[in-house]
């Protein structure tokens, strides 16, 4: 397998965690989102993913896009370390947590949105970062509330095994720490993140461990 990735991409980070949890070897193909105006916008990469987003996963010639679709594909095709619970309600809960990040929060704070706010709408750097921090806080608060109220929360977001939800949470925690967002109001997130951070699969997926890290 080949993973088109960028070391700080939250979506690519999710997929790296899942590949590591399942013990799947892959070749990392860096796509620099800032260099030369953004390598993801060049024709060569658009032939891989017309959306000009990372990640994309090449599995024996089949190109898969959208991080959550890739995670579920890996879960369906590689049985080791399941990323979804066995029961329907558990699966629905894990998917809802994952989507709280991947659908409700991350799209508002990703690079192309931030670039549009500054370059097209003319927001100042300070205003852009306030937008970023606002939606990060909103997303973290929602995620924390779900974790704190549900008895299914364990060592991980759902029970005592990692899932899609943890794959999505850890990149958000990295982003929060990178931009000095106070995580004290989210103690359950902090506890789970500290546990995940010490596990080899999560450690190996961290942006600082990637071949294109700067």
């Amino acid at each position: 397998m080949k993973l088109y990735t960028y070391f700080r991409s939250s979506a690519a980070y999710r997929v790296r965690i899942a590949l590591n949890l399942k013990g799947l070897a892959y070749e990392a193909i860096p796509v620099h989102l800032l260099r030369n105006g953004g390598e993801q916008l060049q024709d060569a990469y658009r032939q891989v993913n017309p959306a000009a987003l990372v990640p994309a996963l090449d599995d024996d010639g089949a190109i898969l896009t959208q991080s959550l679709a890739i995670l579920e594909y890996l879960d369906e095709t590689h049985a080791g370390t399941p990323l979804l619970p066995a029961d329907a309600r558990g699966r629905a809960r894990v998917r809802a947590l994952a989507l709280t990040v991947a659908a409700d929060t991350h799209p508002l704070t990703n690079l192309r949105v931030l670039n549009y706010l500054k370059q097209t709408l003319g927001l100042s750097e300070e205003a852009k970062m306030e937008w970023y921090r606002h939606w990060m806080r909103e997303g973290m608060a929602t995620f924390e509330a779900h974790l704190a109220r549900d008895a299914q929360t364990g060592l991980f977001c759902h029970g005592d095994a990692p899932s899609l939800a943890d794959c999505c949470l850890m990149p958000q925690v990295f982003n929060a720490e990178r931009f000095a967002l106070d995580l004290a109001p989210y103690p359950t997130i902090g506890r789970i993140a500290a546990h995940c951070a010490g596990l080899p699969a999560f450690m190996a997926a961290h942006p600082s461990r990637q071949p294109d890290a700067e």
Side-chain angles (χ1 to χ4, degrees):
M1 284 188 281
K2 298 178 182 179
L3 179 66
Y4 293 86
T5 181
Y6 177 62
F7 74 109
R8 280 200 298 250
S9 162
S10 298
Y13 190 174
R14 297 168 198 154
V15 175
R16 295 196 302 264
I17 294 170
L19 288 165
N20 293 342
L21 285 170
K22 288 185 171 289
L24 299 174
Y26 65 94
E27 176 188 355
I29 302 178
V31 180
H32 202 291
L33 302 188
L34 301 175
R35 186 180 297 144
N36 300 322
E39 293 177 355
Q40 76 279 15
L41 301 174
Q42 297 175 6
D43 288 343
Y45 185 69
R46 285 187 183 274
Q47 294 300 312
V48 176
N49 185 359
L53 297 170
V54 294
L57 183 71
D58 182 340
D59 187 8
D60 196 24
I63 305 295
L64 308 170
T65 62
Q66 291 291 345
S67 62
L68 290 192
I70 294 171
L71 295 183
E72 295 223 24
Y73 169 81
L74 293 174
D75 214 34
E76 292 172 5
T77 55
H78 300 276
T81 311
L83 301 176
L84 286 167
D87 64 296
R89 289 183 181 179
R91 291 194 297 275
R93 179 175 184 263
V94 165
R95 287 182 174 119
L97 287 169
L99 287 166
T100 297
V101 172
D104 294 346
T105 307
H106 178 239
L108 291 166
T109 60
N110 69 9
L111 180 63
R112 63 179 179 172
V113 169
L114 297 179
N115 284 344
Y116 186 81
L117 289 172
K118 188 171 184 179
Q119 298 171 7
T120 304
L121 298 185
L123 267 67
S124 67
E125 181 68 16
E126 181 181 356
K128 182 193 79 171
M129 291 312 302
E130 180 50 39
W131 166 284
Y132 182 94
R133 286 187 290 266
H134 170 77
W135 291 113
M136 282 287 290
R137 286 192 295 263
E138 287 286 314
M140 286 290 193
T142 299
F143 205 100
E144 173 70 22
H146 281 292
L147 292 177
R149 77 174 187 176
D150 290 340
Q152 299 98 323
T153 303
L155 289 174
F156 296 91
C157 292
H158 189 82
D160 294 334
S163 70
L164 259 68
D166 304 283
C167 293
C168 290
L169 175 61
M170 289 304 285
Q172 287 300 96
V173 170
F174 168 79
N175 291 336
E177 293 174 341
R178 181 181 170 218
F179 290 103
L181 188 75
D182 182 14
L183 292 178
Y186 322 112
T188 316
I189 287 175
R191 174 182 62 76
I192 292 170
H195 179 70
C196 290
L199 301 177
F202 289 87
M203 293 171 66
H206 193 275
S208 65
R209 300 282 188 95
Q210 304 316 301
D212 56 329
E214 297 173 352

